């Protein structure tokens, strides 16, 4: 029983050798692409000139100002995240807009934009802001052929960023400073008025001075009460001031949270303000991220659709950032409003308590003053003036303390950004010159050429190397036959071609040796030669293999079992009037149908007239007996069978033969056809000896093989159109139907010369000793 053919391999992993083979096949594509891209780079360099890179470096001190601490921590920014945020702020629209305005003042008619306008989108697309890998230094660069203008524009950008940093320091604390400073000026006015009244009282009452307060008895009691009253008045004044301030700032809870209200009695404040989550600096950082994403989205929309996954991802990021900012602001606002209401209530309560204490002390002071009037009325009046001045002085001191606690530099001269290097024309680097562009063009051309070669190989379904054939089919390569330019025509037989094509004949001998070794492990001598599709050269290889075996001293019979498109009769110069179809239809012996050739040990069994039922003939018992008779009579039997994919004839023959040789045409047979042919043989349980690789490259080019033209046919999606009985010309239409019966054909064609009786030798060598030089001149 014949061993089944191995299943074809479906692996597509390329080895290093296969990659080299792919590059070698596409060498002209790679070379031409590299040359064209390099030439294009040269012309581009000629038109663009040298591109200069203007650059400036800025150091960002994230720990130099305490105002930046809360929002950085609240948003999770630290280290490199903060520096990256500042790099985005540096190329934000607000910074670039001011930089462009100053740049246009210095260069009213700039050439940096190619004669066009210098706009914020144009500058955003070209300006680069990059953070150092291990530091907080930001490098701002701009590439342009006009290096002086580029340097000036970069310098305006970094200066504009410094101005932006100063502006950011003027936050809501500046407004708070203004409110407290207004109270300070009012307290100063009250204090100066109290001192003025004291001086006027002294002038009106000569002899009144500080010594009048040094009284015994009532004076001591009055002083003690007045001291307590002064403290109560001060506390009440501060409490009322706090209530007034809290009421005035009720709609600005973020400002109210930065004031220490309710500390009239000293110690901790009445209510600790909530920690801020979102501040103007943090909001500016988030807004710069949103602007960067929106710019990136606008750039992608020039190439992609709004539904593209990259644009949808950017939209989701923008929505998330916007929602985060709104959430932080909403949380801050809600907490601050709640804090303001609670603080206002506690301040009102504190003011009521202070008022009650003050009223009690006033009553005590009035009683003490009544007692003191008897002693010295002038001293009491002067004491009132002293008390008012003291209250104004204490309120003034409190205002000064608040201003010092806020610690705001109104000029905002301090900055967190320090410019380390300004962009200078003589320090500009060459970003793209002619040598750089040529080298880049060459490398890009090579990569593009390799990509095109790979794509060309990907869309080309044909198999071009023995390694790929082995990998796709899982079958060994028996021999590689070169492309031959000789073809049998009128008066030229295959034997003439054999003598003229010596290299092809030598390859056929190699195939003969491989077949000998393959058949050594089987019982049988019938070899089927088939192919995946038409015009792969299987009939040429069948006849060449038969000639090679005959020249080795083996009695060989070549059977043309292609009953649809037979070619062997023409190849050996016969008229094809008898053969397989007549022998099966007439139940004739093998000797009546066999033709002798000019080569002594080579005989031919033609196909005979084309029948309407070739599949039934090849599947008949009579044809099986013919094969058995041929196997007993001859040393080797070569069966030329139809292609595998169009029709089922070859699969029927594969089950009746001892071994099968599959012909694959290099540069013609597709991967799909080769895999389909190997699968078809495996399903037919055929013993596949291996593959004869036809039309291999020889010399500088390819010629024309011994193909033949099959009509259109269709098989399992392989795209062959339709393989039938039509389209055969006069021969097909004039031949009577050959029926598979035991009788003779009713309209049998005239018989040719019958070969003499033959006998099978008792023994034949397993491997030929070689062709006789007199017979084979190859």
């Amino acid at each position: 029983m014949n061993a089944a053919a191995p299943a074809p391999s479906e692996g597509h992993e390329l080895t290093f050798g296969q990659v080299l083979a792919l590059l070698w096949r596409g060498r002209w594509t790679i070379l031409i692409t590299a040359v064209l891209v390099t030439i294009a780079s040269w012309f581009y360099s000629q038109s663009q000139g040298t591109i200069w890179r203007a650059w400036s470096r800025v150091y960002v001190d994230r720990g130099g100002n305490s105002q930046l601490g809360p929002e950085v921590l609240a948003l999770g920014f630290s280290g490199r995240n903060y520096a990256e945020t500042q790099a985005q702020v540096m190329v934000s629209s607000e910074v670039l807009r001011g930089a462009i305005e100053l740049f246009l003042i210095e260069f009213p008619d700039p050439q940096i934009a190619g004669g066009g306008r210098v706009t914020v989108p144009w500058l955003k697309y070209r300006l680069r802001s990059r953070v150092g890998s291990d530091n907080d230094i930001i490098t701002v660069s701009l590439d342009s052929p006009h290096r002086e203008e580029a340097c000036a524009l970069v310098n305006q950008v970094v200066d504009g960023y410094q101005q932006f940093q100063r502006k950011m320091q003027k936050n809501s604390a500046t407004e708070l400073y203004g409110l407290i400073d207004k109270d300070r000026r009012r307290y100063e006015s009250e204090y100066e008025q109290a001192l003025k009244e004291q001086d006027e009282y002294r002038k009106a009452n000569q002899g009144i001075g500080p010594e009048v307060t040094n009284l015994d008895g009532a004076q001591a009691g009055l002083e003690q009460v007045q001291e307590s009253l002064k403290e109560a008045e001060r506390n009440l004044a501060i409490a009322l001031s706090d209530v007034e301030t809290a009421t005035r700032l009720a709609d600005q809870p973020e400002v109210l949270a930065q004031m220490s209200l309710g500390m009239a009695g000293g110690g901790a404040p009445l209510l600790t303000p909530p920690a801020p989550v979102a501040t103007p600096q943090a909001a500016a950082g988030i807004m710069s991220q949103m602007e960067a994403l929106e710019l990136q989205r606008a750039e992608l929309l020039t190439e992609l659709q709004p539904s593209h996954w990259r644009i949808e991802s950017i939209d989701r990021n923008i929505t998330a950032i916007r929602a985060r900012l709104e959430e932080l602001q909403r949380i801050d606002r809600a907490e601050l409003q709640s804090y303001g209401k609670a603080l206002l209530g506690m301040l009102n309560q504190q003011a009521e308590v202070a008022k009650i204490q003050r009223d009690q002390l006033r009553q005590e002071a009035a009683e003490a003053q009544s007692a003191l009037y008897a002693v010295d009325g002038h001293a009491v009046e002067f004491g009132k003036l002293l008390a008012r001045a003291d209250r104004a002085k204490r309120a003034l001191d409190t205002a000064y303390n608040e201003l010092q606690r806020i610690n705001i530099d109104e000029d905002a001269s301090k900055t967190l950004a320090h410019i380390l290097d300004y962009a200078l024309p003589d320090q500009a680097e060459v970003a793209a010159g002619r040598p750089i562009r040529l080298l880049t063009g060459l490398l890009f051309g090579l990569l593009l050429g390799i990509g095109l070669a790979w794509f060309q190989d990907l869309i080309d379904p044909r198999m071009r190397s023995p390694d790929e054939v082995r990998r796709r089919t899982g079958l060994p390569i028996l021999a590689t036959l070169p492309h031959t330019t000789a073809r049998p025509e009128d008066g030229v037989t295959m034997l003439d071609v054999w003598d003229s094509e010596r290299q092809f004949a030598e390859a056929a001998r190699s195939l003969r040796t491989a077949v000998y070794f393959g058949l050594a492990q089987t019982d049988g001598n019938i070899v089927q030669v088939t192919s995946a599709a038409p015009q792969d050269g299987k009939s040429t290889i069948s006849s060449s293999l038969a000639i090679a075996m005959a020249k080795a001293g083996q009695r060989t019979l070549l059977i043309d079992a292609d009953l649809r498109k037979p070619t062997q009769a023409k190849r050996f110069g016969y008229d094809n009037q008898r053969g397989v179809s007549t022998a099966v239809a007439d139940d004739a012996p093998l000797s009546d149908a066999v033709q002798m050739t000019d080569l002594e040990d080579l005989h031919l069994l033609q196909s005979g007239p084309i029948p309407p039922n070739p599949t039934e003939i090849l599947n008949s018992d009579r044809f099986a007996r013919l094969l058995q008779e041929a196997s007993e009579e001859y040393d080797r039997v070569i069966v030329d069978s139809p292609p595998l994919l169009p029709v089922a004839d070859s699969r029927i023959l594969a089950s009746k033969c001892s071994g099968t040789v599959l012909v694959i045409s290099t540069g013609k047979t597709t991967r799909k056809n080769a895999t389909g042919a190997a699968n078809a043989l495996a399903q037919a349980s055929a013993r596949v000896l291996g593959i004869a690789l036809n039309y291999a490259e020889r010399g500088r080019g390819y010629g024309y093989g011994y193909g033949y033209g099959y009509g259109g046919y269709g098989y399992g999606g392989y795209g062959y159109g339709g393989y039938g009985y039509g389209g055969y010309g006069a021969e097909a239409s004039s031949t009577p139907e050959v029926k598979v019966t035991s009788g003779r054909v009713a309209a049998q064609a005239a018989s040719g010369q019958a070969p003499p009786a033959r006998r099978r030798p008792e023994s034949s060598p397993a491997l030929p000793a070689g062709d006789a030089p007199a017979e084979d001149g190859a």
Side-chain angles (χ1 to χ4, degrees):
M1 181 178 180
N2 295 339
S9 172
E10 295 296 337
H12 297 284
E13 295 183 359
L14 296 178
T15 63
F16 179 72
Q18 293 167 359
V19 172
L20 292 180
L22 186 149
L23 297 178
W24 178 251
R25 290 195 299 271
R27 59 189 181 276
W28 290 112
T29 300
I30 298 173
L31 179 60
I32 293 174
T33 304
V35 171
L36 290 178
V37 174
T38 304
I39 293 175
S41 300
W42 185 83
F43 280 107
Y44 181 77
S45 300
Q46 291 293 105
S47 62
Q48 293 295 319
T50 302
I51 302 297
W52 298 94
R53 176 165 297 166
W55 57 272
S56 175
R57 296 194 307 160
V58 179
Y59 169 66
V60 179
D61 183 8
R62 63 176 180 271
N65 191 333
S66 60
Q67 296 290 336
L68 293 179
E71 65 270 13
V72 171
L73 296 177
L75 295 176
F77 297 154
S78 62
R80 186 173 178 83
N81 288 337
Y82 175 76
E84 292 286 355
T85 301
Q86 295 305 307
Q88 295 298 323
V89 172
M90 192 173 295
V91 294
S92 61
S93 299
E94 182 176 355
V95 174
L96 298 184
R97 192 177 297 110
I100 292 175
E101 292 176 358
L102 296 176
F103 170 75
L104 293 178
I105 295 175
E106 183 178 357
F107 294 92
D109 189 18
Q111 300 297 319
I112 191 171
R117 294 179 56 199
V118 180
T119 61
V120 172
W122 178 89
L123 186 55
K124 272 191 176 184
Y125 183 75
R126 289 162 177 80
L127 193 66
R128 296 291 178 265
S129 178
R130 186 177 64 256
V131 180
S133 58
D134 56 352
N135 52 48
D136 295 333
I137 296 178
I138 301 175
T139 301
V140 184
S141 60
L142 178 63
D143 295 346
S144 173
H146 309 281
R147 56 177 168 178
E148 292 186 358
E149 294 183 3
C151 290
L153 189 52
V154 169
N155 291 334
Q156 292 294 349
V157 169
V158 296
D159 287 340
Y161 173 70
Q162 270 195 335
Q163 295 297 328
F164 177 80
Q165 285 282 22
R166 296 191 182 106
K167 179 181 177 181
M168 290 302 300
Q169 292 183 40
K170 294 182 178 180
N171 53 14
S172 59
T174 304
E175 182 180 356
L176 176 61
Y177 187 95
L179 294 174
I180 298 178
D181 188 61
K182 182 178 179 181
D183 292 337
R184 176 188 62 79
R185 289 193 294 268
R186 180 167 59 86
Y187 296 146
E188 284 182 348
S189 179
E190 293 178 358
Y191 180 65
E192 290 175 357
Q193 182 64 28
L195 294 179
K196 182 179 179 181
E197 291 177 357
Q198 288 182 17
D199 292 340
E200 292 176 353
Y201 191 84
R202 285 194 183 96
K203 292 178 181 179
N205 300 275
Q206 296 295 328
I208 297 299
E211 66 276 9
V212 301
T213 60
N214 298 325
L215 303 176
D216 297 331
Q219 181 69 30
L222 179 60
E223 289 179 355
Q224 183 177 2
V225 173
Q226 285 180 343
E227 185 67 26
S228 299
L229 181 59
K230 290 177 184 179
E231 183 68 22
E233 292 285 352
R234 188 182 69 84
N235 291 338
L236 179 59
I238 294 176
L240 292 175
S241 177
D242 290 346
V243 171
E244 180 184 358
T245 302
T247 303
R248 187 171 64 252
L249 299 178
D251 58 343
Q252 302 182 45
E254 64 275 6
V255 179
L256 189 62
Q258 301 186 46
M259 301 180 65
S260 300
L261 301 180
M263 299 179 62
L270 291 178
L271 185 63
T272 303
V277 179
T279 61
Q281 290 92 338
I286 295 177
M287 290 301 296
S288 66
Q289 290 182 343
M290 289 179 58
E291 290 180 355
L293 290 175
E294 290 174 350
L295 176 62
Q296 184 179 2
R297 183 180 186 275
E299 293 175 357
L300 291 177
L301 281 175
T302 61
E303 302 176 358
L304 305 175
Q305 295 294 328
S307 59
H308 193 270
W309 66 269
R310 293 181 64 185
I311 296 180
E312 291 179 351
S313 176
I314 292 175
D315 290 340
R316 288 194 297 270
N317 291 339
I318 293 175
T319 303
I321 292 175
R322 184 179 291 112
R324 174 60 177 165
L325 180 60
E326 292 176 355
E327 178 66 16
L328 294 178
Q329 293 175 345
R330 186 187 65 80
I331 292 174
D332 282 352
R333 191 68 180 176
E335 291 182 355
L336 290 173
Q337 288 177 351
S338 177
Y339 163 78
K341 292 179 181 179
L343 180 62
L344 183 59
M346 297 179 69
L347 289 175
N348 284 324
Q349 184 179 1
Q350 186 184 55
E352 290 294 332
V353 173
K355 185 177 181 182
I356 293 173
Q357 293 177 352
R358 184 204 64 177
D359 292 342
Q360 292 176 353
L361 290 174
R362 276 184 176 180
Q363 186 177 359
E364 294 178 2
E367 294 175 356
Q369 286 176 357
S370 298
L372 187 61
Y373 278 149
V375 180
D376 191 348
H378 293 293
V380 174
E381 188 65 26
F382 189 74
K384 292 180 181 180
L385 295 177
L386 291 177
R388 187 197 299 181
D390 184 68
R391 288 196 303 269
K393 181 64 167 61
R394 290 178 181 271
L396 181 60
D397 292 341
T398 302
Y400 273 118
N401 291 334
E402 290 293 333
L403 292 177
Q404 292 177 359
R405 183 180 66 83
I406 297 176
N407 191 22
I408 296 178
D409 185 0
E410 292 183 285
D411 296 332
S413 59
K414 186 177 180 181
T415 179
L416 297 177
H418 307 278
I419 301 176
L420 302 180
D421 297 292
Y422 276 101
L424 300 176
D426 56 350
Q427 294 182 0
E429 303 172 352
V430 177
R434 184 179 301 172
I436 297 176
R437 287 199 183 99
L438 291 179
L439 180 59
T440 303
L442 177 61
L443 295 178
F444 179 74
L446 289 175
L447 293 177
L448 180 61
I450 292 173
L452 291 176
W454 173 83
F455 181 73
Q456 183 180 7
D457 184 78
L458 184 66
I459 63 176
D460 185 2
R462 297 173 296 177
M463 293 190 296
R464 298 183 178 277
S465 66
D467 185 68
E468 184 179 12
V469 172
R470 282 192 295 266
R471 182 165 53 89
R472 291 280 179 176
T473 62
L475 299 172
I477 304 297
L478 299 178
T480 300
L481 292 92
H483 200 305
T484 176
T485 57
R487 60 189 321 170
E489 298 176 354
D490 294 340
V492 180
T493 65
M494 276 302 301
L495 294 175
D496 298 329
V497 173
W498 177 277
D499 294 335
S500 61
E501 293 288 336
R502 296 180 179 272
Q503 187 174 358
F504 185 81
E506 189 63 33
R509 293 190 188 95
S510 300
L511 177 61
R512 175 191 66 191
T513 303
V515 170
Y516 281 149
F517 280 113
L519 291 177
Q521 300 177 358
T522 63
D523 295 331
N525 58 350
I526 304 177
V527 179
Q528 176 196 20
V529 179
T530 184
S531 62
Q535 298 188 5
D536 283 339
K538 54 95 182 172
S539 296
T540 301
I541 292 179
S542 300
S543 56
S544 301
L545 179 60
I547 293 174
M549 288 183 172
K551 285 184 175 290
Q554 301 288 306
R555 298 187 67 251
T556 305
L557 174 63
L558 174 61
I559 300 177
D560 191 353
D562 189 348
L563 304 183
R564 302 174 188 269
K565 287 286 186 177
T567 61
Q568 296 299 344
K570 183 179 180 181
R571 291 174 183 273
F572 286 92
Y574 292 104
D575 55 9
N576 201 27
Q577 293 299 312
R578 64 182 182 185
V580 174
S581 59
T582 58
V584 172
D586 298 341
D587 198 13
L590 179 65
S591 58
D592 291 345
V594 171
Q595 298 280 1
M596 297 182 64
T597 67
D598 294 337
L599 186 59
E600 180 180 357
D601 290 323
L602 176 62
H603 300 150
L604 173 66
L605 177 58
Q606 305 169 141
S607 65
I610 298 175
N613 52 348
T615 303
E616 288 77 2
I617 290 179
L618 297 177
N619 201 26
S620 63
D621 294 337
R622 176 53 188 153
F623 182 74
R625 290 196 297 272
L626 279 177
L627 287 180
Q628 181 63 30
E629 186 178 352
S631 176
E632 295 174 355
E633 182 69 20
Y634 291 90
D635 297 328
R636 304 293 176 190
V637 178
I638 308 300
V639 180
D640 180 12
S641 60
L644 275 163
L645 300 182
V647 292
D649 299 1
S650 290
R651 278 167 278 180
I652 295 173
L653 291 172
S655 62
K656 301 177 181 295
C657 297
S658 307
T660 300
V661 175
L662 178 61
V663 177
I664 297 294
S665 177
T666 305
K668 178 180 179 297
T669 304
T670 64
R671 304 182 185 99
K672 188 175 183 180
N673 287 351
T675 305
N679 284 328
L681 292 175
Q683 293 172 2
S685 299
R687 172 178 174 77
V688 183
L689 301 178
I691 292 176
L693 197 60
N694 198 19
Y695 296 157
E697 183 177 1
R698 180 182 65 175
R700 293 188 177 181
Y702 294 90
Y704 293 92
Y706 298 107
Y708 60 88
Y710 272 76
Y713 59 88
Y715 171 78
Y718 286 88
Y720 290 110
Y723 184 88
Y725 298 102
Y728 289 92
E731 180 184 4
S733 61
S734 61
T735 302
E737 179 180 354
V738 180
K739 298 182 180 180
V740 184
T741 61
S742 59
R744 299 288 180 177
V745 180
Q748 179 180 355
S751 301
Q753 180 182 1
R758 300 166 181 82
R759 62 177 182 85
R760 179 180 177 85
E762 296 180 357
S763 63
S764 58
L767 187 66
D771 296 346
E775 296 180 357
D776 188 357

